[in-house]
Amino acid sequence: AAKDRPVRTAYYGTELESGGTLAPLVIGELRGALEAGDIVVYYQPQVEIGTGRVFGVEALSRWQHPVYGLLGPDSFIQAAERTGMIGTFTQFVLDAALEQCARWRAEGLVLTVAVNLSVLNLLDRGLVEDVQAALDRHGLSPTVLELELTEGSAMVDPRRSRQVLGALSGMGVTLSIDDYGTGYSSLAYLQKLPVRRLKIDRSFVAGILDDAASAAIVRSTVELARHLGLDVIAEGVEDDETLLALRDMQCHAAQGFGLGRPVPGPQLPEVVRRIHDR
Ligand code: C2E
Ligand code: CA
Ligand code: CA
Ligand code: CA
């Protein structure tokens, strides 16, 4: 079906089928796209495995490009970082996601919302104030918000990022480690950060049925995380067999195409209903 077609993920600087490269295009147009409302946020459900309940969503940005169609974030996030626009971009996504979260609440759908941070956002001391302002603007408690960062991002400038992370966590915002397992950090190191949750990268999750090593990595991560008091979400769960295997490993939560694809905000309640009816 058309909706199962993946969004385009041309990388920064790669050639487009139509000729030319994406780089000059996105640099010149991204700001305009934000102003024109062409950047849209999709939401993918996160499910508690034990109960089958949807408790939250991850916000994933898309560019509804007038010429190239729906572009995935891999084609413009890097450009936003390189052109000094990532602060503005993250603010936009944060505000859109919290606005949507407040709207769902008004409809009786209570969900947490997770927003992806770029490494560069952590070096920006203004982030903490901006997050608080966005929460206030939509009348939301910090506990509805989760911020995802990759393993290495707190290592770029450990002192500064620790201040930022400490302040966010002190406010009551949940911090999680994205793509866990793909970096080089140890849980011993991560445990020193005010992090509450690990998201196990889909490259491990996808292999747990066929690959003993992937299964061992996921199983031991779940166990170790439990001992450290961290929550675990398995990313990239594409089928029921994988979900059952994760349940046997006592993994807390799951996210993936097998449960629900990212969809525009207004479509999410229907996706949630479908998951609850499974
Ligand atoms: P991520 O944070 O690891 O997000 C998960 C990605 O995996 C999403 O791709 C999602 O659509 C995809 N995915 C989810 N379930 C499955 C599955 O079962 N199978 C497979 N094959 N893929 C699955 P997407 O939306 O293209 O995003 C790519 C990356 O772009 C994200 O990876 C994240 O690092 C970044 N990103 C997305 N939105 C934002 C944003 O607003 N700000 C920043 N800084 N980065 C963003
Ligand atoms: Ca993420
Ligand atoms: Ca991830
Ligand atoms: Ca990723």
Side-chain angles (χ1 to χ4, degrees):
K3 77 174 205 303
D4 283 347
R5 214 182 305 132
V7 294
R8 295 189 57 163
T9 51
Y11 283 84
Y12 178 86
T14 55
E15 285 184 21
L16 291 169
E17 285 156 41
S18 50
T21 65
L22 199 61
L25 163 85
V26 291
I27 291 168
E29 285 187 50
L30 191 52
R31 192 174 296 276
L34 276 171
E35 282 161 9
D38 291 344
I39 302 296
V40 289
V41 183
Y42 277 40
Y43 301 89
Q44 184 176 34
Q46 300 177 320
V47 178
E48 190 181 0
I49 298 178
T51 60
R53 305 300 290 179
V54 178
F55 62 89
V57 291
E58 178 177 1
L60 295 160
S61 46
R62 304 282 180 263
W63 182 350
Q64 185 63 67
H65 194 281
V67 177
Y68 299 109
L70 196 62
L71 296 171
D74 289 331
S75 59
F76 56 84
I77 294 294
Q78 224 182 339
E81 288 173 339
R82 291 187 194 187
T83 56
M85 274 202 59
I86 194 67
T88 308
F89 188 86
T90 300
Q91 277 312 303
F92 173 84
V93 176
L94 185 65
D95 194 69
L98 291 176
E99 182 179 355
Q100 182 62 73
C101 179
R103 193 169 298 152
W104 286 326
R105 278 182 175 248
E107 296 166 5
L109 182 59
V110 176
L111 298 170
T112 59
V113 58
V115 171
N116 289 282
L117 290 187
S118 150
V119 175
L120 298 177
N121 295 138
L122 283 188
L123 303 180
D124 177 359
R125 286 181 217 269
L127 177 71
V128 180
E129 251 176 70
D130 291 344
V131 166
Q132 185 65 62
L135 287 163
D136 292 345
R137 205 156 42 238
H138 300 291
L140 291 168
S141 150
T143 54
V144 308
L145 180 64
E146 179 169 334
L147 295 172
E148 301 190 359
L149 46 135
T150 48
E151 282 174 62
S153 51
M155 293 195 229
V156 174
D157 183 342
R159 269 192 41 173
R160 188 143 39 142
S161 49
R162 258 170 215 246
Q163 276 176 12
V164 170
L165 294 177
L168 290 168
S169 138
M171 266 166 71
V173 172
T174 299
L175 300 175
S176 60
I177 297 295
D178 206 352
D179 303 344
Y180 178 75
T182 59
Y184 298 96
S185 50
S186 65
L187 272 181
Y189 163 75
L190 292 177
Q191 205 210 353
K192 296 203 172 82
L193 299 174
V195 161
R196 276 252 315 271
R197 168 176 284 171
L198 301 180
K199 300 192 73 180
I200 305 183
D201 192 69
R202 72 162 187 266
S203 58
F204 304 107
V205 175
I208 60 172
L209 298 176
D210 312 314
D211 176 33
S214 293
I217 289 167
V218 173
R219 189 187 300 279
S220 61
T221 301
V222 168
E223 203 176 305
L224 204 50
R226 191 171 49 243
H227 290 302
L228 296 173
L230 298 169
D231 252 11
V232 174
I233 300 193
E235 295 194 291
V237 176
E238 295 192 349
D239 52 60
D240 288 350
E241 293 72 27
T242 303
L243 192 64
L244 288 174
L246 288 164
R247 197 187 62 186
D248 289 344
M249 294 178 184
Q250 296 184 56
C251 180
H252 175 250
Q255 184 181 338
F257 293 170
L259 290 156
R261 285 175 181 263
V263 295
Q267 288 172 34
L268 190 85
E270 179 53 38
V271 173
V272 171
R273 226 168 290 136
R274 210 169 56 221
I275 294 171
H276 288 173
D277 286 348
R278 275 158 64 103

mmCIF file of all heavy atoms in Angstrom, residues 29-73:
data_model
loop_
_atom_site.group_PDB
_atom_site.id
_atom_site.type_symbol
_atom_site.label_atom_id
_atom_site.label_comp_id
_atom_site.label_asym_id
_atom_site.label_seq_id
_atom_site.Cartn_x
_atom_site.Cartn_y
_atom_site.Cartn_z
ATOM 1 N N GLU A 29 16.476 26.068 1.830
ATOM 2 C CA GLU A 29 15.031 25.973 1.974
ATOM 3 C C GLU A 29 14.505 25.624 3.351
ATOM 4 O O GLU A 29 13.320 25.762 3.612
ATOM 5 C CB GLU A 29 14.490 24.911 0.999
ATOM 6 C CG GLU A 29 14.458 25.378 -0.433
ATOM 7 C CD GLU A 29 13.756 24.356 -1.315
ATOM 8 O OE1 GLU A 29 12.645 23.925 -0.956
ATOM 9 O OE2 GLU A 29 14.338 23.980 -2.338
ATOM 10 N N LEU A 30 15.382 25.117 4.224
ATOM 11 C CA LEU A 30 14.869 24.590 5.482
ATOM 12 C C LEU A 30 14.171 25.661 6.333
ATOM 13 O O LEU A 30 13.099 25.442 6.876
ATOM 14 C CB LEU A 30 16.013 23.920 6.269
ATOM 15 C CG LEU A 30 15.620 23.093 7.476
ATOM 16 C CD1 LEU A 30 14.553 22.052 7.144
ATOM 17 C CD2 LEU A 30 16.847 22.410 8.070
ATOM 18 N N ARG A 31 14.797 26.818 6.393
ATOM 19 C CA ARG A 31 14.175 27.893 7.171
ATOM 20 C C ARG A 31 12.807 28.264 6.604
ATOM 21 O O ARG A 31 11.814 28.382 7.338
ATOM 22 C CB ARG A 31 15.091 29.130 7.207
ATOM 23 C CG ARG A 31 14.651 30.177 8.221
ATOM 24 C CD ARG A 31 15.671 31.302 8.324
ATOM 25 N NE ARG A 31 16.973 30.867 8.837
ATOM 26 C CZ ARG A 31 17.251 30.747 10.133
ATOM 27 N NH1 ARG A 31 16.345 31.038 11.031
ATOM 28 N NH2 ARG A 31 18.436 30.342 10.524
ATOM 29 N N GLY A 32 12.791 28.379 5.290
ATOM 30 C CA GLY A 32 11.534 28.684 4.618
ATOM 31 C C GLY A 32 10.490 27.600 4.858
ATOM 32 O O GLY A 32 9.307 27.879 5.043
ATOM 33 N N ALA A 33 10.963 26.352 4.877
ATOM 34 C CA ALA A 33 10.049 25.223 5.084
ATOM 35 C C ALA A 33 9.416 25.287 6.468
ATOM 36 O O ALA A 33 8.225 25.024 6.639
ATOM 37 C CB ALA A 33 10.802 23.908 4.909
ATOM 38 N N LEU A 34 10.221 25.656 7.472
ATOM 39 C CA LEU A 34 9.695 25.801 8.835
ATOM 40 C C LEU A 34 8.615 26.869 8.854
ATOM 41 O O LEU A 34 7.539 26.683 9.427
ATOM 42 C CB LEU A 34 10.815 26.197 9.798
ATOM 43 C CG LEU A 34 11.671 25.076 10.379
ATOM 44 C CD1 LEU A 34 12.854 25.661 11.135
ATOM 45 C CD2 LEU A 34 10.845 24.184 11.302
ATOM 46 N N GLU A 35 8.931 28.002 8.212
ATOM 47 C CA GLU A 35 7.983 29.121 8.216
ATOM 48 C C GLU A 35 6.714 28.782 7.440
ATOM 49 O O GLU A 35 5.626 29.205 7.799
ATOM 50 C CB GLU A 35 8.659 30.378 7.644
ATOM 51 C CG GLU A 35 9.579 31.022 8.677
ATOM 52 C CD GLU A 35 10.617 31.968 8.066
ATOM 53 O OE1 GLU A 35 10.529 32.261 6.846
ATOM 54 O OE2 GLU A 35 11.509 32.401 8.813
ATOM 55 N N ALA A 36 6.875 28.000 6.375
ATOM 56 C CA ALA A 36 5.720 27.664 5.526
ATOM 57 C C ALA A 36 4.874 26.525 6.102
ATOM 58 O O ALA A 36 3.839 26.177 5.546
ATOM 59 C CB ALA A 36 6.212 27.296 4.129
ATOM 60 N N GLY A 37 5.338 25.927 7.203
ATOM 61 C CA GLY A 37 4.588 24.807 7.777
ATOM 62 C C GLY A 37 4.805 23.502 7.028
ATOM 63 O O GLY A 37 4.003 22.577 7.129
ATOM 64 N N ASP A 38 5.912 23.413 6.281
ATOM 65 C CA ASP A 38 6.190 22.180 5.527
ATOM 66 C C ASP A 38 6.924 21.133 6.351
ATOM 67 O O ASP A 38 7.093 19.997 5.914
ATOM 68 C CB ASP A 38 7.010 22.490 4.259
ATOM 69 C CG ASP A 38 6.192 23.253 3.227
ATOM 70 O OD1 ASP A 38 4.947 23.266 3.348
ATOM 71 O OD2 ASP A 38 6.793 23.846 2.305
ATOM 72 N N ILE A 39 7.407 21.517 7.534
ATOM 73 C CA ILE A 39 7.973 20.519 8.437
ATOM 74 C C ILE A 39 6.823 20.017 9.306
ATOM 75 O O ILE A 39 6.141 20.803 9.963
ATOM 76 C CB ILE A 39 9.088 21.112 9.330
ATOM 77 C CG1 ILE A 39 10.212 21.710 8.479
ATOM 78 C CG2 ILE A 39 9.617 20.056 10.302
ATOM 79 C CD1 ILE A 39 10.965 20.707 7.611
ATOM 80 N N VAL A 40 6.617 18.714 9.271
ATOM 81 C CA VAL A 40 5.521 18.133 10.042
ATOM 82 C C VAL A 40 6.081 17.072 10.973
ATOM 83 O O VAL A 40 7.155 16.529 10.724
ATOM 84 C CB VAL A 40 4.435 17.515 9.129
ATOM 85 C CG1 VAL A 40 3.662 18.601 8.401
ATOM 86 C CG2 VAL A 40 5.031 16.531 8.139
ATOM 87 N N VAL A 41 5.361 16.827 12.057
ATOM 88 C CA VAL A 41 5.837 15.844 13.025
ATOM 89 C C VAL A 41 4.919 14.625 12.986
ATOM 90 O O VAL A 41 3.693 14.757 13.043
ATOM 91 C CB VAL A 41 5.898 16.454 14.444
ATOM 92 C CG1 VAL A 41 6.460 15.438 15.430
ATOM 93 C CG2 VAL A 41 6.764 17.709 14.448
ATOM 94 N N TYR A 42 5.529 13.461 12.845
ATOM 95 C CA TYR A 42 4.810 12.194 12.900
ATOM 96 C C TYR A 42 5.038 11.577 14.282
ATOM 97 O O TYR A 42 5.983 11.948 14.980
ATOM 98 C CB TYR A 42 5.313 11.237 11.808
ATOM 99 C CG TYR A 42 4.699 11.454 10.440
ATOM 100 C CD1 TYR A 42 4.464 12.740 9.955
ATOM 101 C CD2 TYR A 42 4.365 10.375 9.637
ATOM 102 C CE1 TYR A 42 3.903 12.927 8.691
ATOM 103 C CE2 TYR A 42 3.807 10.553 8.371
ATOM 104 C CZ TYR A 42 3.581 11.842 7.913
ATOM 105 O OH TYR A 42 3.026 12.028 6.660
ATOM 106 N N TYR A 43 4.171 10.641 14.651
ATOM 107 C CA TYR A 43 4.258 10.053 15.991
ATOM 108 C C TYR A 43 4.176 8.541 15.889
ATOM 109 O O TYR A 43 3.292 8.001 15.216
ATOM 110 C CB TYR A 43 3.130 10.586 16.884
ATOM 111 C CG TYR A 43 3.186 12.091 17.012
ATOM 112 C CD1 TYR A 43 2.526 12.918 16.100
ATOM 113 C CD2 TYR A 43 3.971 12.686 18.003
ATOM 114 C CE1 TYR A 43 2.621 14.297 16.171
ATOM 115 C CE2 TYR A 43 4.073 14.071 18.090
ATOM 116 C CZ TYR A 43 3.391 14.863 17.171
ATOM 117 O OH TYR A 43 3.505 16.233 17.245
ATOM 118 N N GLN A 44 5.114 7.868 16.573
ATOM 119 C CA GLN A 44 5.107 6.407 16.575
ATOM 120 C C GLN A 44 4.827 5.916 18.004
ATOM 121 O O GLN A 44 5.466 6.358 18.953
ATOM 122 C CB GLN A 44 6.456 5.854 16.090
ATOM 123 C CG GLN A 44 6.439 4.339 15.987
ATOM 124 C CD GLN A 44 7.719 3.762 15.408
ATOM 125 O OE1 GLN A 44 8.804 4.291 15.631
ATOM 126 N NE2 GLN A 44 7.596 2.664 14.675
ATOM 127 N N PRO A 45 3.861 4.980 18.145
ATOM 128 C CA PRO A 45 3.487 4.514 19.483
ATOM 129 C C PRO A 45 4.577 3.695 20.171
ATOM 130 O O PRO A 45 5.347 2.990 19.515
ATOM 131 C CB PRO A 45 2.256 3.638 19.224
ATOM 132 C CG PRO A 45 2.334 3.244 17.792
ATOM 133 C CD PRO A 45 3.052 4.352 17.089
ATOM 134 N N GLN A 46 4.603 3.799 21.483
ATOM 135 C CA GLN A 46 5.481 3.002 22.340
ATOM 136 C C GLN A 46 4.576 2.189 23.258
ATOM 137 O O GLN A 46 3.674 2.746 23.890
ATOM 138 C CB GLN A 46 6.385 3.914 23.164
ATOM 139 C CG GLN A 46 7.269 4.808 22.284
ATOM 140 C CD GLN A 46 8.124 5.770 23.077
ATOM 141 O OE1 GLN A 46 7.666 6.332 24.071
ATOM 142 N NE2 GLN A 46 9.349 5.979 22.640
ATOM 143 N N VAL A 47 4.815 0.893 23.315
ATOM 144 C CA VAL A 47 3.883 -0.026 23.960
ATOM 145 C C VAL A 47 4.540 -0.739 25.144
ATOM 146 O O VAL A 47 5.679 -1.212 25.032
ATOM 147 C CB VAL A 47 3.393 -1.083 22.936
ATOM 148 C CG1 VAL A 47 2.461 -2.096 23.590
ATOM 149 C CG2 VAL A 47 2.692 -0.401 21.760
ATOM 150 N N GLU A 48 3.807 -0.805 26.261
ATOM 151 C CA GLU A 48 4.274 -1.588 27.397
ATOM 152 C C GLU A 48 3.994 -3.063 27.069
ATOM 153 O O GLU A 48 2.834 -3.437 26.829
ATOM 154 C CB GLU A 48 3.517 -1.164 28.664
ATOM 155 C CG GLU A 48 4.097 -1.757 29.913
ATOM 156 C CD GLU A 48 3.310 -1.354 31.173
ATOM 157 O OE1 GLU A 48 2.310 -0.618 31.058
ATOM 158 O OE2 GLU A 48 3.710 -1.802 32.249
ATOM 159 N N ILE A 49 5.037 -3.888 27.046
ATOM 160 C CA ILE A 49 4.870 -5.252 26.535
ATOM 161 C C ILE A 49 3.948 -6.094 27.435
ATOM 162 O O ILE A 49 3.088 -6.809 26.940
ATOM 163 C CB ILE A 49 6.242 -5.939 26.340
ATOM 164 C CG1 ILE A 49 7.056 -5.166 25.289
ATOM 165 C CG2 ILE A 49 6.064 -7.399 25.901
ATOM 166 C CD1 ILE A 49 8.461 -5.715 25.039
ATOM 167 N N GLY A 50 4.113 -5.953 28.747
ATOM 168 C CA GLY A 50 3.330 -6.769 29.670
ATOM 169 C C GLY A 50 1.822 -6.553 29.559
ATOM 170 O O GLY A 50 1.039 -7.496 29.664
ATOM 171 N N THR A 51 1.409 -5.316 29.327
ATOM 172 C CA THR A 51 -0.021 -4.996 29.314
ATOM 173 C C THR A 51 -0.563 -4.747 27.908
ATOM 174 O O THR A 51 -1.781 -4.709 27.706
ATOM 175 C CB THR A 51 -0.284 -3.709 30.114
ATOM 176 O OG1 THR A 51 0.464 -2.640 29.508
ATOM 177 C CG2 THR A 51 0.155 -3.853 31.572
ATOM 178 N N GLY A 52 0.311 -4.509 26.943
ATOM 179 C CA GLY A 52 -0.137 -4.189 25.594
ATOM 180 C C GLY A 52 -0.668 -2.769 25.457
ATOM 181 O O GLY A 52 -1.246 -2.410 24.426
ATOM 182 N N ARG A 53 -0.476 -1.942 26.472
ATOM 183 C CA ARG A 53 -0.982 -0.567 26.439
ATOM 184 C C ARG A 53 0.018 0.400 25.818
ATOM 185 O O ARG A 53 1.225 0.309 26.078
ATOM 186 C CB ARG A 53 -1.305 -0.042 27.855
ATOM 187 C CG ARG A 53 -2.246 -0.894 28.663
ATOM 188 C CD ARG A 53 -3.593 -1.057 28.026
ATOM 189 N NE ARG A 53 -4.403 0.167 28.018
ATOM 190 C CZ ARG A 53 -5.617 0.251 27.483
ATOM 191 N NH1 ARG A 53 -6.172 -0.803 26.896
ATOM 192 N NH2 ARG A 53 -6.285 1.391 27.513
ATOM 193 N N VAL A 54 -0.493 1.339 25.041
ATOM 194 C CA VAL A 54 0.339 2.409 24.507
ATOM 195 C C VAL A 54 0.489 3.463 25.602
ATOM 196 O O VAL A 54 -0.509 3.984 26.094
ATOM 197 C CB VAL A 54 -0.317 3.049 23.254
ATOM 198 C CG1 VAL A 54 0.535 4.196 22.732
ATOM 199 C CG2 VAL A 54 -0.534 1.996 22.171
ATOM 200 N N PHE A 55 1.713 3.748 25.991
ATOM 201 C CA PHE A 55 1.911 4.745 27.055
ATOM 202 C C PHE A 55 2.523 6.031 26.530
ATOM 203 O O PHE A 55 2.501 7.059 27.194
ATOM 204 C CB PHE A 55 2.803 4.188 28.174
ATOM 205 C CG PHE A 55 4.185 3.843 27.707
ATOM 206 C CD1 PHE A 55 5.208 4.800 27.724
ATOM 207 C CD2 PHE A 55 4.471 2.580 27.206
ATOM 208 C CE1 PHE A 55 6.476 4.489 27.274
ATOM 209 C CE2 PHE A 55 5.753 2.268 26.745
ATOM 210 C CZ PHE A 55 6.748 3.217 26.778
ATOM 211 N N GLY A 56 3.113 5.964 25.344
ATOM 212 C CA GLY A 56 3.775 7.165 24.835
ATOM 213 C C GLY A 56 3.995 7.094 23.340
ATOM 214 O O GLY A 56 3.618 6.116 22.683
ATOM 215 N N VAL A 57 4.590 8.165 22.825
ATOM 216 C CA VAL A 57 4.920 8.227 21.400
ATOM 217 C C VAL A 57 6.312 8.851 21.251
ATOM 218 O O VAL A 57 6.769 9.583 22.122
ATOM 219 C CB VAL A 57 3.928 9.115 20.603
ATOM 220 C CG1 VAL A 57 2.557 8.474 20.525
ATOM 221 C CG2 VAL A 57 3.858 10.524 21.176
ATOM 222 N N GLU A 58 6.952 8.549 20.134
ATOM 223 C CA GLU A 58 8.163 9.277 19.756
ATOM 224 C C GLU A 58 7.820 10.206 18.604
ATOM 225 O O GLU A 58 7.166 9.799 17.640
ATOM 226 C CB GLU A 58 9.287 8.317 19.324
ATOM 227 C CG GLU A 58 10.537 9.095 18.869
ATOM 228 C CD GLU A 58 11.723 8.217 18.502
ATOM 229 O OE1 GLU A 58 11.608 6.970 18.575
ATOM 230 O OE2 GLU A 58 12.772 8.794 18.138
ATOM 231 N N ALA A 59 8.247 11.451 18.721
ATOM 232 C CA ALA A 59 8.037 12.442 17.669
ATOM 233 C C ALA A 59 9.143 12.310 16.627
ATOM 234 O O ALA A 59 10.328 12.328 16.966
ATOM 235 C CB ALA A 59 8.059 13.850 18.274
ATOM 236 N N LEU A 60 8.767 12.149 15.363
ATOM 237 C CA LEU A 60 9.734 11.985 14.268
ATOM 238 C C LEU A 60 9.393 12.981 13.178
ATOM 239 O O LEU A 60 8.260 13.007 12.674
ATOM 240 C CB LEU A 60 9.676 10.547 13.743
ATOM 241 C CG LEU A 60 10.122 9.477 14.761
ATOM 242 C CD1 LEU A 60 9.594 8.102 14.392
ATOM 243 C CD2 LEU A 60 11.643 9.469 14.897
ATOM 244 N N SER A 61 10.362 13.817 12.825
ATOM 245 C CA SER A 61 10.023 14.896 11.900
ATOM 246 C C SER A 61 10.112 14.468 10.432
ATOM 247 O O SER A 61 10.859 13.575 10.067
ATOM 248 C CB SER A 61 10.889 16.123 12.170
ATOM 249 O OG SER A 61 12.227 15.750 12.312
ATOM 250 N N ARG A 62 9.327 15.131 9.618
ATOM 251 C CA ARG A 62 9.241 14.892 8.180
ATOM 252 C C ARG A 62 9.172 16.239 7.490
ATOM 253 O O ARG A 62 8.645 17.200 8.052
ATOM 254 C CB ARG A 62 7.939 14.131 7.832
ATOM 255 C CG ARG A 62 7.734 12.821 8.565
ATOM 256 C CD ARG A 62 8.574 11.726 7.944
ATOM 257 N NE ARG A 62 8.432 10.434 8.576
ATOM 258 C CZ ARG A 62 9.266 9.949 9.493
ATOM 259 N NH1 ARG A 62 10.254 10.681 9.936
ATOM 260 N NH2 ARG A 62 9.108 8.738 9.981
ATOM 261 N N TRP A 63 9.667 16.258 6.271
ATOM 262 C CA TRP A 63 9.569 17.473 5.459
ATOM 263 C C TRP A 63 8.646 17.174 4.296
ATOM 264 O O TRP A 63 8.984 16.385 3.420
ATOM 265 C CB TRP A 63 10.958 17.878 4.986
ATOM 266 C CG TRP A 63 11.030 19.145 4.186
ATOM 267 C CD1 TRP A 63 10.000 19.872 3.667
ATOM 268 C CD2 TRP A 63 12.235 19.821 3.822
ATOM 269 N NE1 TRP A 63 10.481 20.966 3.002
ATOM 270 C CE2 TRP A 63 11.855 20.967 3.081
ATOM 271 C CE3 TRP A 63 13.595 19.583 4.044
ATOM 272 C CZ2 TRP A 63 12.782 21.853 2.564
ATOM 273 C CZ3 TRP A 63 14.515 20.477 3.520
ATOM 274 C CH2 TRP A 63 14.111 21.601 2.790
ATOM 275 N N GLN A 64 7.501 17.829 4.317
ATOM 276 C CA GLN A 64 6.546 17.680 3.217
ATOM 277 C C GLN A 64 6.988 18.644 2.126
ATOM 278 O O GLN A 64 6.527 19.793 2.086
ATOM 279 C CB GLN A 64 5.139 18.005 3.747
ATOM 280 C CG GLN A 64 4.014 17.787 2.773
ATOM 281 C CD GLN A 64 3.885 16.327 2.358
ATOM 282 O OE1 GLN A 64 3.536 15.485 3.174
ATOM 283 N NE2 GLN A 64 4.178 16.030 1.100
ATOM 284 N N HIS A 65 7.915 18.171 1.297
ATOM 285 C CA HIS A 65 8.531 19.056 0.317
ATOM 286 C C HIS A 65 7.623 19.218 -0.909
ATOM 287 O O HIS A 65 7.117 18.229 -1.430
ATOM 288 C CB HIS A 65 9.891 18.500 -0.108
ATOM 289 C CG HIS A 65 10.740 19.483 -0.839
ATOM 290 N ND1 HIS A 65 10.549 19.772 -2.166
ATOM 291 C CD2 HIS A 65 11.763 20.264 -0.416
ATOM 292 C CE1 HIS A 65 11.431 20.692 -2.533
ATOM 293 N NE2 HIS A 65 12.181 21.006 -1.488
ATOM 294 N N PRO A 66 7.421 20.472 -1.338
ATOM 295 C CA PRO A 66 6.488 20.698 -2.455
ATOM 296 C C PRO A 66 6.920 20.000 -3.751
ATOM 297 O O PRO A 66 6.074 19.660 -4.578
ATOM 298 C CB PRO A 66 6.481 22.223 -2.622
ATOM 299 C CG PRO A 66 7.621 22.746 -1.817
ATOM 300 C CD PRO A 66 7.943 21.716 -0.779
ATOM 301 N N VAL A 67 8.214 19.778 -3.940
ATOM 302 C CA VAL A 67 8.688 19.134 -5.174
ATOM 303 C C VAL A 67 9.099 17.685 -4.948
ATOM 304 O O VAL A 67 8.737 16.793 -5.708
ATOM 305 C CB VAL A 67 9.885 19.920 -5.777
ATOM 306 C CG1 VAL A 67 10.419 19.201 -7.018
ATOM 307 C CG2 VAL A 67 9.466 21.351 -6.111
ATOM 308 N N TYR A 68 9.842 17.423 -3.864
ATOM 309 C CA TYR A 68 10.428 16.091 -3.675
ATOM 310 C C TYR A 68 9.552 15.143 -2.854
ATOM 311 O O TYR A 68 9.908 14.000 -2.651
ATOM 312 C CB TYR A 68 11.820 16.221 -3.052
ATOM 313 C CG TYR A 68 12.754 16.999 -3.945
ATOM 314 C CD1 TYR A 68 13.158 18.289 -3.599
ATOM 315 C CD2 TYR A 68 13.180 16.459 -5.150
ATOM 316 C CE1 TYR A 68 13.995 19.020 -4.432
ATOM 317 C CE2 TYR A 68 14.008 17.182 -5.996
ATOM 318 C CZ TYR A 68 14.409 18.464 -5.635
ATOM 319 O OH TYR A 68 15.215 19.174 -6.459
ATOM 320 N N GLY A 69 8.446 15.636 -2.350
ATOM 321 C CA GLY A 69 7.565 14.754 -1.575
ATOM 322 C C GLY A 69 8.001 14.654 -0.124
ATOM 323 O O GLY A 69 8.721 15.517 0.380
ATOM 324 N N LEU A 70 7.577 13.589 0.543
ATOM 325 C CA LEU A 70 7.849 13.443 1.968
ATOM 326 C C LEU A 70 9.296 13.009 2.197
ATOM 327 O O LEU A 70 9.681 11.912 1.816
ATOM 328 C CB LEU A 70 6.879 12.415 2.565
ATOM 329 C CG LEU A 70 6.737 12.402 4.084
ATOM 330 C CD1 LEU A 70 6.187 13.724 4.605
ATOM 331 C CD2 LEU A 70 5.826 11.255 4.513
ATOM 332 N N LEU A 71 10.087 13.888 2.804
ATOM 333 C CA LEU A 71 11.496 13.590 3.066
ATOM 334 C C LEU A 71 11.680 13.167 4.523
ATOM 335 O O LEU A 71 11.131 13.788 5.431
ATOM 336 C CB LEU A 71 12.360 14.828 2.807
ATOM 337 C CG LEU A 71 12.418 15.369 1.366
ATOM 338 C CD1 LEU A 71 13.139 16.722 1.338
ATOM 339 C CD2 LEU A 71 13.112 14.382 0.443
ATOM 340 N N GLY A 72 12.478 12.119 4.730
ATOM 341 C CA GLY A 72 12.786 11.672 6.083
ATOM 342 C C GLY A 72 13.872 12.526 6.705
ATOM 343 O O GLY A 72 14.585 13.232 5.992
ATOM 344 N N PRO A 73 14.000 12.477 8.030
ATOM 345 C CA PRO A 73 14.948 13.341 8.742
ATOM 346 C C PRO A 73 16.413 13.115 8.355
ATOM 347 O O PRO A 73 17.221 14.021 8.504
ATOM 348 C CB PRO A 73 14.726 13.013 10.216
ATOM 349 C CG PRO A 73 13.947 11.749 10.235
ATOM 350 C CD PRO A 73 13.212 11.653 8.949
#
